[in-house]
Amino acid sequence: FVQRAETPDGGQELYPWVQLSGHRENFRPGLRPGTVLKLLCPCEADCLRQLTADPLLGEFVPRYFGTVRLEDGTEFLEMQDLLAEFPGCTGLMDCKMGSRTYLESELDSDPKPRRDLYNKMVEVDADAPTADEAAAQAVAKPRYMMWREQLSSTATLAFRIDGLQRLMASGRTHPVDLKRLRSRPEVSDTLAGFLEGRLDLRDAYLARLRKLRAALAPSEFFALREFIGSSLLFVHDQSPGHACVWMIDFGKIRLAPGRLSHTADWLHGNHEDGYLTGLDNLIGLFEDMQFP
Ligand code: ATP
Ligand code: MG
Ligand code: MG
Protein backbone atom coordinates (compact mmCIF):
# COMPACT_ATOMS: atom_id res chain seq x y z
CA PHE A 1 0.00 0.00 0.00
CA VAL A 2 0.93 3.62 -0.33
CA GLN A 3 1.80 5.74 2.70
CA ARG A 4 1.78 9.47 3.34
CA ALA A 5 4.53 11.41 5.10
CA GLU A 6 4.61 15.06 6.07
CA THR A 7 7.35 17.07 4.37
CA PRO A 8 9.30 19.80 6.22
CA ASP A 9 7.35 22.51 4.34
CA GLY A 10 4.04 21.15 5.65
CA GLY A 11 3.12 19.30 2.46
CA GLN A 12 2.63 15.58 2.05
CA GLU A 13 4.65 13.03 0.16
CA LEU A 14 3.54 9.58 -0.98
CA TYR A 15 5.78 6.53 -0.77
CA PRO A 16 5.30 2.78 -1.16
CA TRP A 17 5.22 0.75 2.04
CA VAL A 18 7.60 -2.20 1.96
CA GLN A 19 7.24 -5.19 4.28
CA LEU A 20 10.15 -7.62 4.52
CA SER A 21 8.66 -10.44 6.59
CA GLY A 22 5.54 -11.63 8.39
CA HIS A 23 2.00 -11.91 7.05
CA ARG A 24 0.88 -9.28 4.58
CA GLU A 25 -2.59 -8.96 6.09
CA ASN A 26 -1.09 -7.95 9.45
CA PHE A 27 -0.27 -4.45 8.24
CA ARG A 28 -2.45 -1.53 7.07
CA PRO A 29 -1.90 2.13 6.34
CA GLY A 30 -1.90 4.29 9.46
CA LEU A 31 -4.70 6.65 10.41
CA ARG A 32 -2.41 9.67 10.21
CA PRO A 33 0.69 10.53 8.17
CA GLY A 34 3.79 8.72 9.32
CA THR A 35 2.12 5.79 11.09
CA VAL A 36 1.34 2.18 10.21
CA LEU A 37 -1.09 -0.33 11.74
CA LYS A 38 -0.11 -3.84 12.87
CA LEU A 39 -2.62 -6.52 13.85
CA LEU A 40 -3.04 -6.26 17.60
CA CYS A 41 -1.24 -8.62 19.89
CA PRO A 42 -1.87 -7.26 23.41
CA CYS A 43 1.57 -8.40 24.56
CA GLU A 44 3.25 -6.48 21.78
CA ALA A 45 1.15 -3.34 22.32
CA ASP A 46 1.94 -3.39 26.03
CA CYS A 47 5.64 -3.82 25.35
CA LEU A 48 5.72 -1.05 22.75
CA ARG A 49 3.84 1.31 25.07
CA GLN A 50 6.44 0.77 27.78
CA LEU A 51 9.38 0.96 25.38
CA THR A 52 8.15 4.20 23.81
CA ALA A 53 8.21 5.79 27.27
CA ASP A 54 11.51 4.18 28.28
CA PRO A 55 14.24 6.80 28.85
CA LEU A 56 17.00 4.53 27.51
CA LEU A 57 15.28 2.56 24.77
CA GLY A 58 12.54 4.96 23.60
CA GLU A 59 14.63 6.35 20.76
CA PHE A 60 15.27 2.87 19.37
CA VAL A 61 11.66 1.75 18.86
CA PRO A 62 8.78 2.96 16.68
CA ARG A 63 6.63 5.36 18.72
CA TYR A 64 3.40 3.83 19.98
CA PHE A 65 0.10 5.63 19.32
CA GLY A 66 -2.40 3.25 20.93
CA THR A 67 -4.86 0.73 19.52
CA VAL A 68 -7.42 1.12 16.75
CA ARG A 69 -10.58 -0.86 15.96
CA LEU A 70 -11.45 -0.96 12.26
CA GLU A 71 -15.01 -1.14 10.91
CA ASP A 72 -14.82 -4.91 10.47
CA GLY A 73 -14.02 -5.25 14.18
CA THR A 74 -10.35 -6.20 13.83
CA GLU A 75 -7.99 -4.45 16.22
CA PHE A 76 -4.61 -3.01 15.37
CA LEU A 77 -1.88 -1.15 17.16
CA GLU A 78 -0.77 2.12 15.61
CA MET A 79 2.93 2.91 15.57
CA GLN A 80 5.44 5.18 13.88
CA ASP A 81 6.17 4.10 10.32
CA LEU A 82 9.94 3.92 10.32
CA LEU A 83 9.98 4.38 6.54
CA ALA A 84 8.36 7.81 6.81
CA GLU A 85 11.71 9.57 7.19
CA PHE A 86 13.02 7.58 4.23
CA PRO A 87 10.47 8.07 1.44
CA GLY A 88 13.28 7.48 -1.05
CA CYS A 89 14.50 4.38 0.80
CA THR A 90 17.01 2.34 -1.21
CA GLY A 91 18.01 -0.23 1.41
CA LEU A 92 15.92 -2.11 3.95
CA MET A 93 17.00 -5.08 6.07
CA ASP A 94 15.40 -7.09 8.87
CA CYS A 95 17.78 -8.97 11.20
CA LYS A 96 16.06 -11.38 13.58
CA MET A 97 18.03 -11.24 16.80
CA GLY A 98 19.00 -13.95 19.24
CA SER A 99 20.15 -17.56 19.24
CA ARG A 100 16.64 -18.91 19.87
CA THR A 101 13.50 -17.99 17.94
CA TYR A 102 10.81 -19.74 19.99
CA LEU A 103 9.66 -19.18 23.54
CA GLU A 104 10.39 -21.76 26.19
CA SER A 105 6.64 -21.98 26.67
CA GLU A 106 6.26 -22.99 23.00
CA LEU A 107 8.57 -25.94 23.65
CA ASP A 108 6.66 -26.96 26.75
CA SER A 109 3.28 -26.97 25.04
CA ASP A 110 2.74 -29.80 22.58
CA PRO A 111 1.60 -28.11 19.39
CA LYS A 112 -0.19 -29.94 16.63
CA PRO A 113 2.16 -30.71 13.71
CA ARG A 114 1.39 -28.54 10.70
CA ARG A 115 1.20 -29.29 7.00
CA ASP A 116 2.20 -25.75 5.95
CA LEU A 117 5.44 -25.96 7.95
CA TYR A 118 6.18 -29.36 6.42
CA ASN A 119 5.74 -27.83 2.96
CA LYS A 120 8.03 -24.91 3.80
CA MET A 121 10.64 -27.37 5.06
CA VAL A 122 10.70 -29.62 1.99
CA GLU A 123 10.78 -26.57 -0.25
CA VAL A 124 14.19 -25.77 1.20
CA ASP A 125 15.44 -29.31 1.83
CA ALA A 126 13.51 -32.38 0.72
CA ASP A 127 15.60 -34.55 3.05
CA ALA A 128 14.99 -32.52 6.19
CA PRO A 129 11.81 -34.17 7.51
CA THR A 130 12.20 -37.29 9.66
CA ALA A 131 10.50 -40.49 8.56
CA ASP A 132 7.62 -39.80 10.96
CA GLU A 133 7.23 -36.24 9.71
CA ALA A 134 7.28 -37.40 6.10
CA ALA A 135 4.64 -40.02 6.82
CA ALA A 136 2.41 -37.43 8.52
CA GLN A 137 3.36 -34.69 6.03
CA ALA A 138 3.39 -32.39 9.03
CA VAL A 139 5.97 -30.74 11.29
CA ALA A 140 5.53 -29.21 14.77
CA LYS A 141 6.35 -25.50 15.11
CA PRO A 142 9.24 -25.75 17.63
CA ARG A 143 10.89 -28.44 15.53
CA TYR A 144 10.49 -26.24 12.43
CA MET A 145 11.95 -23.23 14.27
CA MET A 146 14.95 -25.26 15.52
CA TRP A 147 15.59 -26.61 12.05
CA ARG A 148 15.58 -23.07 10.68
CA GLU A 149 17.99 -21.98 13.40
CA GLN A 150 20.52 -24.64 12.39
CA LEU A 151 20.09 -23.81 8.73
CA SER A 152 20.69 -20.09 9.23
CA SER A 153 23.17 -18.04 11.23
CA THR A 154 20.82 -17.93 14.25
CA ALA A 155 22.63 -20.91 15.78
CA THR A 156 26.15 -19.66 15.01
CA LEU A 157 25.98 -15.84 15.09
CA ALA A 158 22.87 -15.35 17.26
CA PHE A 159 21.13 -13.36 14.55
CA ARG A 160 19.99 -13.96 11.00
CA ILE A 161 19.07 -11.79 8.07
CA ASP A 162 15.34 -12.42 7.74
CA GLY A 163 14.65 -9.98 4.92
CA LEU A 164 16.62 -7.68 2.70
CA GLN A 165 15.72 -5.37 -0.14
CA ARG A 166 17.77 -2.97 -2.13
CA LEU A 167 15.35 -0.74 -3.93
CA MET A 168 16.42 0.81 -7.16
CA ALA A 169 14.49 3.09 -9.46
CA SER A 170 14.03 0.01 -11.63
CA GLY A 171 12.52 -2.08 -8.81
CA ARG A 172 13.96 -4.90 -6.72
CA THR A 173 17.49 -6.18 -7.00
CA HIS A 174 19.74 -8.52 -5.14
CA PRO A 175 17.78 -11.72 -4.64
CA VAL A 176 19.59 -13.88 -2.09
CA ASP A 177 18.50 -17.13 -0.50
CA LEU A 178 18.43 -15.83 3.03
CA LYS A 179 17.15 -19.05 4.61
CA ARG A 180 20.45 -20.80 3.95
CA LEU A 181 22.73 -17.93 4.92
CA ARG A 182 24.74 -19.52 7.68
CA SER A 183 28.50 -18.90 7.82
CA ARG A 184 30.17 -15.67 8.90
CA PRO A 185 31.69 -15.03 5.42
CA GLU A 186 28.32 -15.56 3.73
CA VAL A 187 26.58 -13.20 6.12
CA SER A 188 29.41 -10.68 5.78
CA ASP A 189 29.13 -10.73 1.97
CA THR A 190 25.39 -10.15 2.19
CA LEU A 191 25.86 -7.24 4.60
CA ALA A 192 28.52 -5.81 2.27
CA GLY A 193 26.08 -6.01 -0.64
CA PHE A 194 23.49 -4.24 1.47
CA LEU A 195 25.98 -1.42 2.14
CA GLU A 196 26.67 -0.97 -1.60
CA GLY A 197 30.34 -0.28 -0.82
CA ARG A 198 29.38 2.92 0.99
CA LEU A 199 31.59 3.75 3.95
CA ASP A 200 29.16 6.50 5.02
CA LEU A 201 26.45 3.88 5.55
CA ARG A 202 28.74 1.55 7.42
CA ASP A 203 29.77 4.32 9.79
CA ALA A 204 26.20 5.53 10.35
CA TYR A 205 24.94 2.00 11.09
CA LEU A 206 27.91 1.23 13.31
CA ALA A 207 27.42 4.39 15.38
CA ARG A 208 23.74 3.61 15.86
CA LEU A 209 24.37 -0.06 16.75
CA ARG A 210 26.99 0.92 19.34
CA LYS A 211 24.58 3.44 20.82
CA LEU A 212 21.92 0.75 21.02
CA ARG A 213 24.39 -1.61 22.70
CA ALA A 214 25.20 1.09 25.25
CA ALA A 215 21.49 1.69 25.94
CA LEU A 216 20.61 -2.01 26.31
CA ALA A 217 23.42 -2.85 28.72
CA PRO A 218 22.08 -0.85 31.71
CA SER A 219 18.37 -1.23 30.80
CA GLU A 220 16.21 -2.83 33.48
CA PHE A 221 13.42 -3.42 30.99
CA PHE A 222 15.81 -5.45 28.84
CA ALA A 223 17.50 -7.30 31.71
CA LEU A 224 14.19 -8.62 33.00
CA ARG A 225 12.80 -9.88 29.71
CA GLU A 226 13.30 -12.70 27.24
CA PHE A 227 13.49 -11.10 23.76
CA ILE A 228 12.40 -13.72 21.25
CA GLY A 229 11.70 -13.22 17.53
CA SER A 230 12.47 -9.51 17.76
CA SER A 231 14.30 -7.79 14.91
CA LEU A 232 16.50 -4.86 14.08
CA LEU A 233 15.24 -2.94 11.08
CA PHE A 234 17.94 -1.19 9.00
CA VAL A 235 16.90 1.62 6.67
CA HIS A 236 18.90 3.94 4.41
CA ASP A 237 18.58 6.06 1.33
CA GLN A 238 20.97 7.72 -1.08
CA SER A 239 21.84 10.79 1.02
CA PRO A 240 25.28 10.50 2.59
CA GLY A 241 25.13 8.99 6.08
CA HIS A 242 21.33 8.84 6.11
CA ALA A 243 20.78 5.48 7.78
CA CYS A 244 19.09 4.26 10.91
CA VAL A 245 18.36 1.07 12.88
CA TRP A 246 15.41 0.38 15.17
CA MET A 247 14.17 -2.50 17.30
CA ILE A 248 10.86 -3.93 16.04
CA ASP A 249 8.56 -6.94 16.50
CA PHE A 250 7.77 -7.37 20.17
CA GLY A 251 5.12 -10.12 20.08
CA LYS A 252 7.35 -12.60 21.92
CA ILE A 253 8.84 -10.51 24.67
CA ARG A 254 8.13 -12.10 28.04
CA LEU A 255 9.10 -11.37 31.64
CA ALA A 256 11.81 -13.85 32.64
CA PRO A 257 11.89 -15.47 36.08
CA GLY A 258 15.09 -13.56 36.87
CA ARG A 259 17.66 -11.25 35.30
CA LEU A 260 19.13 -12.28 31.96
CA SER A 261 22.62 -11.62 30.63
CA HIS A 262 21.44 -11.93 26.97
CA THR A 263 24.90 -13.42 26.30
CA ALA A 264 24.96 -16.70 28.26
CA ASP A 265 24.25 -19.98 26.50
CA TRP A 266 20.67 -21.13 26.59
CA LEU A 267 19.78 -24.06 28.81
CA HIS A 268 16.14 -25.06 28.96
CA GLY A 269 14.80 -23.14 31.94
CA ASN A 270 17.31 -20.23 32.01
CA HIS A 271 15.39 -18.21 29.37
CA GLU A 272 18.60 -16.74 27.88
CA ASP A 273 18.09 -15.50 24.32
CA GLY A 274 21.55 -14.49 23.06
CA TYR A 275 20.30 -11.06 21.97
CA LEU A 276 23.48 -9.20 22.94
CA THR A 277 25.68 -11.91 21.49
CA GLY A 278 23.91 -11.35 18.19
CA LEU A 279 24.25 -7.59 18.47
CA ASP A 280 27.98 -7.90 19.25
CA ASN A 281 28.45 -10.19 16.24
CA LEU A 282 26.60 -7.74 14.03
CA ILE A 283 28.78 -4.87 15.27
CA GLY A 284 31.90 -7.00 14.72
CA LEU A 285 30.84 -7.81 11.16
CA PHE A 286 30.33 -4.13 10.34
CA GLU A 287 33.69 -3.28 11.96
CA ASP A 288 35.58 -5.94 9.99
CA MET A 289 34.06 -5.00 6.65
CA GLN A 290 36.66 -4.13 4.01
CA PHE A 291 36.08 -1.19 1.70
CA PRO A 292 37.97 -0.85 -1.56
P1 ATP B 1 7.22 -12.16 12.08
O1 ATP B 1 6.90 -12.39 13.51
O2 ATP B 1 6.91 -13.30 11.16
O3 ATP B 1 8.62 -11.64 11.86
P2 ATP B 1 5.30 -9.96 12.24
O4 ATP B 1 3.93 -10.11 11.67
O5 ATP B 1 5.44 -9.98 13.72
O6 ATP B 1 6.26 -10.98 11.52
P3 ATP B 1 7.10 -7.71 12.04
O7 ATP B 1 8.28 -8.59 12.05
O8 ATP B 1 6.84 -6.81 13.18
O9 ATP B 1 5.79 -8.56 11.68
O10 ATP B 1 7.19 -6.79 10.75
C1 ATP B 1 7.30 -7.37 9.46
C2 ATP B 1 7.97 -6.39 8.52
O11 ATP B 1 7.20 -5.19 8.46
C3 ATP B 1 9.35 -5.95 8.97
O12 ATP B 1 10.34 -6.83 8.50
C4 ATP B 1 9.46 -4.58 8.34
O13 ATP B 1 9.81 -4.70 6.97
C5 ATP B 1 8.04 -4.05 8.43
N1 ATP B 1 7.78 -3.22 9.62
C6 ATP B 1 7.38 -3.64 10.84
N2 ATP B 1 7.19 -2.61 11.69
C7 ATP B 1 7.50 -1.49 11.00
C8 ATP B 1 7.51 -0.09 11.32
N3 ATP B 1 7.18 0.36 12.53
N4 ATP B 1 7.87 0.77 10.35
C9 ATP B 1 8.23 0.33 9.13
N5 ATP B 1 8.25 -0.96 8.76
C10 ATP B 1 7.89 -1.87 9.68
MG1 MG C 1 9.49 -10.02 12.53
MG1 MG D 1 6.54 -11.13 15.08
Side-chain angles (χ1 to χ4, degrees):
F1 50 79
V2 172
Q3 283 279 69
R4 281 172 301 146
E6 259 157 16
T7 56
D9 60 15
Q12 290 199 348
E13 185 169 6
L14 299 177
Y15 61 95
W17 200 70
V18 179
Q19 179 184 340
L20 291 178
S21 66
H23 293 286
R24 267 190 93 103
E25 321 80 64
N26 287 3
F27 290 87
R28 303 281 167 84
L31 300 187
R32 59 198 112 190
T35 70
V36 66
L37 305 183
K38 181 177 177 183
L39 196 67
L40 181 65
C41 149
C43 265
E44 177 162 42
D46 186 52
C47 184
L48 200 51
R49 183 180 52 73
Q50 292 185 62
L51 281 170
T52 294
D54 189 279
L56 283 167
L57 301 181
E59 66 167 298
F60 297 100
V61 300
R63 257 186 80 203
Y64 177 64
F65 291 96
T67 60
V68 172
R69 184 189 289 271
L70 298 188
E71 278 172 15
D72 62 3
T74 47
E75 286 193 283
F76 288 80
L77 65 83
E78 184 170 27
M79 64 178 155
Q80 179 189 358
D81 179 3
L82 301 170
L83 302 182
E85 280 170 53
F86 294 84
C89 166
T90 50
L92 189 60
M93 176 170 71
D94 179 312
C95 290
K96 189 163 277 204
M97 302 304 290
S99 50
R100 177 162 57 90
T101 56
Y102 47 85
L103 288 162
E104 288 204 4
S105 57
E106 290 180 277
L107 275 189
D108 301 335
S109 65
D110 192 15
K112 212 172 157 297
R114 283 164 47 179
R115 171 71 59 100
D116 61 321
L117 297 180
Y118 174 83
N119 290 339
K120 279 190 183 180
M121 190 182 248
V122 294
E123 218 172 85
V124 176
D125 181 358
D127 298 328
T130 62
D132 285 350
E133 286 163 350
Q137 303 241 315
V139 174
K141 181 99 183 264
R143 149 86 172 124
Y144 174 80
M145 306 282 255
M146 277 189 242
W147 168 75
R148 281 216 48 194
E149 289 174 3
Q150 297 303 322
L151 196 75
S152 74
S153 58
T154 292
T156 49
L157 294 173
F159 79 90
R160 71 168 179 245
I161 304 175
D162 226 26
L164 188 157
Q165 258 196 51
R166 282 170 60 189
L167 308 163
M168 300 299 172
S170 56
R172 295 178 188 194
T173 58
H174 213 70
V176 245
D177 184 8
L178 297 169
K179 284 204 178 78
R180 281 174 171 285
L181 220 53
R182 192 165 181 279
S183 73
R184 196 175 193 277
E186 285 167 339
V187 173
S188 177
D189 282 352
T190 307
L191 292 177
F194 179 65
L195 293 180
E196 308 162 35
R198 284 173 53 188
L199 195 57
D200 65 307
L201 287 183
R202 194 280 295 264
D203 290 348
Y205 280 133
L206 204 45
R208 177 78 169 168
L209 289 171
R210 286 179 177 144
K211 224 173 143 194
L212 172 64
R213 179 68 170 85
L216 286 170
S219 164
E220 276 296 292
F221 184 94
F222 186 59
L224 297 173
R225 284 167 181 82
E226 182 180 0
F227 268 60
I228 301 299
S230 182
S231 287
L232 292 180
L233 189 68
F234 292 69
V235 190
H236 64 251
D237 63 22
Q238 272 165 333
S239 332
H242 197 212
C244 206
V245 185
W246 289 273
M247 301 170 82
I248 60 162
D249 202 358
F250 306 108
K252 289 191 184 180
I253 308 286
R254 297 287 184 279
L255 266 175
R259 301 180 72 83
L260 301 179
S261 69
H262 297 284
T263 53
D265 287 342
W266 176 59
L267 298 166
H268 197 165
N270 77 358
H271 292 264
E272 290 286 356
D273 56 23
Y275 192 105
L276 287 182
T277 306
L279 182 54
D280 287 337
N281 282 327
L282 203 41
I283 290 173
L285 279 155
F286 276 99
E287 283 171 345
D288 292 349
M289 205 155 282
Q290 302 292 322
F291 287 82

